[in-house]
Amino acid sequence: MRAILLGAPGAGKGTHAVGISNHYDIPHISTGDLFRENVGNNTPLGQEAKTYMDKGELVPDELVIRLVEDRLSRPDVENGFLLDGFPRTIPQAEALWEMCEKNDMQLDAAIDLEAPYELIEKRIVGRRSCPECGKIYNIYFQPPKEEGICDVDGCKLVQRADDNEETVKTRFQVYQEETEPLIDYYKEKGILRSFDSTKPIEEVQEEVFEAFDK
Ligand code: AP5
């Protein structure tokens, strides 16, 4: 399966990406994670991306497209991939469509996770993650067994630099202006599938599997 995950910040893209990529045995490629890795390693790309990410703005298309093009040229995507957080603008969507055509690949699905702003704000402000294994928690909805500690490996959980109330507003506004138009874009391509992401995680996951297992 070759699919992309669409949805506002905090809609649940990263949460569901793990289960979907395991279920279909395809690599999970998150542009946000790739940028954060570069920020952590203080690479020139990371330094540039950080100036946008900290403000909740999008990294320029040209940088993101180059990053994804490079990632999709690796052999592990031969049997499919799950893109999380890309594309986020119409030019990025057009670039992805062209990349696929050039490589004789077809994009099978745009999985759109729907959730309203009020819920998203709480999900983002409450999000914590494990810096070691990447597991995502939420102090309100998915707390770890022991406060601040990863259930899997015992590491101290961290909060993302861009997960604060001020940045959430900008990120949501940017989503509405730049990314929401992709819903119509993929509807026209005939590959859009929308899911109610306000439901419990397991329920959303089951609905996604039901839709694509056939
Ligand atoms: P990125 O890392 O992609 O962040 P985002 O899109 O803002 O999305 P999030 O990671 O915040 O949310 P999510 O949908 O993954 O939610 P999650 O599953 O964690 O991008 C960060 C930045 O990088 C961007 O702002 C931009 O600057 C840059 N960037 C990245 N890609 C780019 C691109 N293509 N172009 C330009 N710039 C780019 O869930 C959130 C919380 O909710 C968690 O705590 C989770 O436990 C909880 N939760 C989720 N689902 C449920 C549920 N069903 N029930 C209860 N709790 C739930």
Side-chain angles (χ1 to χ4, degrees):
M1 174 158 89
R2 296 183 187 91
I4 64 157
L5 279 166
L6 280 177
K13 301 183 294 296
T15 299
H16 292 295
V18 178
I20 298 171
S21 68
N22 285 341
H23 188 79
Y24 295 104
D25 196 20
I26 48 176
H28 164 208
I29 302 169
S30 153
T31 41
D33 287 349
L34 291 174
F35 282 132
R36 278 185 287 278
E37 212 177 288
N38 276 275
V39 171
N41 294 330
N42 207 19
T43 66
L45 174 67
Q47 286 167 5
E48 183 163 2
K50 190 174 183 331
T51 61
Y52 299 96
M53 293 169 79
D54 284 352
K55 287 184 278 183
E57 293 169 3
L58 293 183
V59 176
D61 285 341
E62 175 209 314
L63 281 184
V64 195
I65 292 169
R66 230 184 313 138
L67 182 80
V68 172
E69 206 160 18
D70 176 62
R71 181 62 187 84
L72 292 185
S73 67
R74 297 204 205 148
D76 66 338
V77 302
E78 221 166 76
N79 295 322
F81 54 76
L82 180 65
L83 281 166
D84 160 8
F86 181 92
R88 257 178 152 100
T89 63
I90 293 286
Q92 290 181 20
E94 285 169 347
L96 176 63
W97 201 260
E98 275 171 34
M99 273 180 235
C100 289
E101 276 184 343
K102 207 167 78 187
N103 294 302
D104 271 336
M105 298 191 297
Q106 196 191 324
L107 202 57
D108 302 304
I111 303 171
D112 173 36
L113 300 172
E114 299 176 325
Y117 179 73
E118 305 71 53
L119 184 61
I120 275 167
E121 192 182 22
K122 203 164 178 192
R123 279 186 180 177
I124 287 191
V125 173
R127 172 169 49 194
R128 302 291 182 273
S129 57
C130 175
E132 202 51 43
C133 72
K135 188 167 167 55
I136 303 170
Y137 298 88
N138 194 289
I139 58 169
Y140 306 113
F141 307 114
Q142 304 287 324
K145 289 190 190 105
E146 190 184 340
E147 194 186 322
I149 303 292
C150 179
D151 296 345
V152 180
D153 53 28
C155 280
K156 201 163 176 254
L157 301 180
V158 293
Q159 185 170 21
R160 265 168 52 176
D162 57 348
D163 278 355
N164 53 70
E165 274 166 49
E166 304 86 78
T167 318
V168 171
K169 279 198 190 81
T170 312
R171 284 161 64 193
F172 190 72
Q173 200 178 342
V174 169
Y175 165 77
Q176 286 182 308
E177 287 165 10
E178 303 279 349
T179 311
E180 225 167 34
L182 296 186
I183 293 177
D184 279 341
Y185 176 89
Y186 286 112
K187 209 182 270 173
E188 275 167 33
K189 298 276 185 200
I191 59 167
L192 183 83
R193 298 298 296 260
S194 296
F195 298 88
D196 177 1
S197 198
T198 63
K199 294 182 182 173
I201 294 174
E202 295 69 27
E203 218 173 292
V204 180
Q205 196 94 291
E206 269 316 304
E207 288 182 10
V208 173
F209 295 160
E210 245 171 58
F212 297 108
D213 277 355
K214 290 171 202 149

